[in-house]
PDB file of all heavy atoms in Angstrom:
ATOM      1  N   ASN A  54      17.929 111.634 149.678  1.00 84.00           N
ATOM      2  CA  ASN A  54      17.125 112.528 150.508  1.00 84.00           C
ATOM      3  C   ASN A  54      17.568 112.372 151.954  1.00 84.00           C
ATOM      4  O   ASN A  54      17.818 111.251 152.413  1.00 84.00           O
ATOM      5  CB  ASN A  54      15.634 112.197 150.363  1.00 84.00           C
ATOM      6  CG  ASN A  54      14.754 113.083 151.204  1.00 84.00           C
ATOM      7  OD1 ASN A  54      14.489 112.776 152.363  1.00 84.00           O
ATOM      8  ND2 ASN A  54      14.301 114.184 150.631  1.00 84.00           N
ATOM      9  N   SER A  55      17.672 113.486 152.657  1.00 84.00           N
ATOM     10  CA  SER A  55      18.187 113.434 154.032  1.00 84.00           C
ATOM     11  C   SER A  55      17.228 112.743 154.990  1.00 84.00           C
ATOM     12  O   SER A  55      17.633 112.347 156.090  1.00 84.00           O
ATOM     13  CB  SER A  55      18.492 114.851 154.538  1.00 84.00           C
ATOM     14  OG  SER A  55      17.315 115.646 154.569  1.00 84.00           O
ATOM     15  N   VAL A  56      15.970 112.569 154.585  1.00 77.00           N
ATOM     16  CA  VAL A  56      14.998 111.878 155.434  1.00 77.00           C
ATOM     17  C   VAL A  56      14.763 110.449 154.949  1.00 77.00           C
ATOM     18  O   VAL A  56      14.806 109.494 155.734  1.00 77.00           O
ATOM     19  CB  VAL A  56      13.655 112.644 155.460  1.00 77.00           C
ATOM     20  CG1 VAL A  56      12.609 111.861 156.250  1.00 77.00           C
ATOM     21  CG2 VAL A  56      13.849 114.021 156.067  1.00 77.00           C
ATOM     22  N   GLU A  57      14.539 110.282 153.659  1.00 77.00           N
ATOM     23  CA  GLU A  57      14.187 108.977 153.099  1.00 77.00           C
ATOM     24  C   GLU A  57      15.407 108.144 152.695  1.00 77.00           C
ATOM     25  O   GLU A  57      15.287 106.942 152.456  1.00 77.00           O
ATOM     26  CB  GLU A  57      13.286 109.164 151.873  1.00 77.00           C
ATOM     27  CG  GLU A  57      11.986 109.907 152.164  1.00 77.00           C
ATOM     28  CD  GLU A  57      11.032 109.119 153.017  1.00 77.00           C
ATOM     29  OE1 GLU A  57      11.045 107.872 152.918  1.00 77.00           O
ATOM     30  OE2 GLU A  57      10.281 109.741 153.784  1.00 77.00           O
ATOM     31  N   GLY A  58      16.587 108.775 152.579  1.00 83.00           N
ATOM     32  CA  GLY A  58      17.776 108.036 152.168  1.00 83.00           C
ATOM     33  C   GLY A  58      17.963 108.033 150.663  1.00 83.00           C
ATOM     34  O   GLY A  58      17.462 108.905 149.953  1.00 83.00           O
ATOM     35  N   GLY A  59      18.685 107.031 150.169  1.00 87.00           N
ATOM     36  CA  GLY A  59      18.991 106.961 148.744  1.00 87.00           C
ATOM     37  C   GLY A  59      17.756 106.696 147.896  1.00 87.00           C
ATOM     38  O   GLY A  59      16.800 106.058 148.340  1.00 87.00           O
ATOM     39  N   VAL A  60      17.789 107.193 146.669  1.00 89.00           N
ATOM     40  CA  VAL A  60      16.706 106.960 145.714  1.00 89.00           C
ATOM     41  C   VAL A  60      17.071 105.712 144.917  1.00 89.00           C
ATOM     42  O   VAL A  60      17.927 105.750 144.026  1.00 89.00           O
ATOM     43  CB  VAL A  60      16.513 108.175 144.783  1.00 89.00           C
ATOM     44  CG1 VAL A  60      15.400 107.911 143.773  1.00 89.00           C
ATOM     45  CG2 VAL A  60      16.204 109.424 145.608  1.00 89.00           C
ATOM     46  N   SER A  61      16.430 104.604 145.251  1.00 88.00           N
ATOM     47  CA  SER A  61      16.834 103.313 144.701  1.00 88.00           C
ATOM     48  C   SER A  61      16.751 103.266 143.180  1.00 88.00           C
ATOM     49  O   SER A  61      17.606 102.658 142.527  1.00 88.00           O
ATOM     50  CB  SER A  61      15.987 102.190 145.312  1.00 88.00           C
ATOM     51  OG  SER A  61      14.609 102.412 145.089  1.00 88.00           O
ATOM     52  N   ALA A  62      15.757 103.916 142.602  1.00 89.00           N
ATOM     53  CA  ALA A  62      15.621 103.892 141.137  1.00 89.00           C
ATOM     54  C   ALA A  62      16.849 104.480 140.471  1.00 89.00           C
ATOM     55  O   ALA A  62      17.359 103.940 139.482  1.00 89.00           O
ATOM     56  CB  ALA A  62      14.372 104.651 140.713  1.00 89.00           C
ATOM     57  N   THR A  63      17.360 105.582 141.012  1.00 93.00           N
ATOM     58  CA  THR A  63      18.540 106.215 140.426  1.00 93.00           C
ATOM     59  C   THR A  63      19.790 105.380 140.674  1.00 93.00           C
ATOM     60  O   THR A  63      20.589 105.154 139.760  1.00 93.00           O
ATOM     61  CB  THR A  63      18.733 107.628 141.005  1.00 93.00           C
ATOM     62  OG1 THR A  63      17.579 108.413 140.700  1.00 93.00           O
ATOM     63  CG2 THR A  63      19.964 108.298 140.414  1.00 93.00           C
ATOM     64  N   LEU A  64      19.963 104.903 141.901  1.00 92.00           N
ATOM     65  CA  LEU A  64      21.143 104.107 142.228  1.00 92.00           C
ATOM     66  C   LEU A  64      21.243 102.882 141.325  1.00 92.00           C
ATOM     67  O   LEU A  64      22.335 102.509 140.875  1.00 92.00           O
ATOM     68  CB  LEU A  64      21.100 103.672 143.696  1.00 92.00           C
ATOM     69  CG  LEU A  64      21.121 104.801 144.733  1.00 92.00           C
ATOM     70  CD1 LEU A  64      20.993 104.227 146.141  1.00 92.00           C
ATOM     71  CD2 LEU A  64      22.393 105.631 144.617  1.00 92.00           C
TER      72      LEU A  64
END
Side-chain angles (χ1 to χ4, degrees):
N54 180 272
S55 62
V56 175
E57 301 291 329
V60 179
S61 57
T63 300
L64 298 177

